[in-house]
Amino acid sequence: MYEINQNDVPSSFIDLFIPRGATRPSESREVIAARYELCEDLAQMLTEHAVATRADLGVTELDVLAQLLRGLQTADSVVTPGEAHWVVRRLAELLEWPALDLGA
């Protein structure tokens, strides 16, 4: 009997694992699914923190997202730089905030 993965990993996340010029991900489906679960959980957990930070500091939504991105990009972060960008985009989506311009 095989285990069915109940999580549908969005293509925006899978794309993080497709090297430039390639058509297939560089990691297995299991690895990508595990990384996606981590990043989705992180985005979900950051929602309350982001709202509280905005209220406490009186800053804009974009300022909060930029601050969180910087925090996710530290050397000891549990996510890669690409995953950090994805988490921040997902967080903005969850909160219905404007998306932070993350460049290309």
Side-chain angles (χ1 to χ4, degrees):
M1 183 153 227
Y2 62 92
E3 181 179 333
I4 298 174
N5 185 353
Q6 296 296 318
N7 293 330
D8 287 327
V9 179
S11 60
S12 64
F13 192 81
I14 294 170
D15 289 347
L16 298 176
F17 297 89
I18 300 176
R20 186 178 306 260
T23 58
R24 298 179 56 93
S26 58
E27 295 289 345
S28 70
R29 183 179 63 185
E30 293 79 16
V31 168
I32 294 172
R35 298 302 298 174
Y36 167 70
E37 189 172 325
L38 169 74
C39 290
E40 178 66 25
D41 287 350
L42 187 55
Q44 295 283 342
M45 290 184 336
L46 286 172
T47 57
E48 288 184 35
H49 175 72
V51 170
T53 298
R54 181 174 180 257
D56 292 346
L57 299 180
V59 296
T60 69
E61 295 157 343
L62 294 175
D63 290 336
V64 173
L65 294 172
Q67 179 183 15
L68 289 170
L69 179 61
R70 285 191 300 274
L72 290 170
Q73 292 178 320
T74 61
D76 61 344
S77 180
V78 298
V79 295
T80 67
E83 290 169 342
H85 284 104
W86 189 91
V87 168
V88 169
R89 281 193 302 270
R90 178 67 176 135
L91 177 60
E93 187 178 276
L94 290 168
L95 294 172
E96 298 180 1
W97 285 4
L100 185 63
D101 181 10
L102 300 172

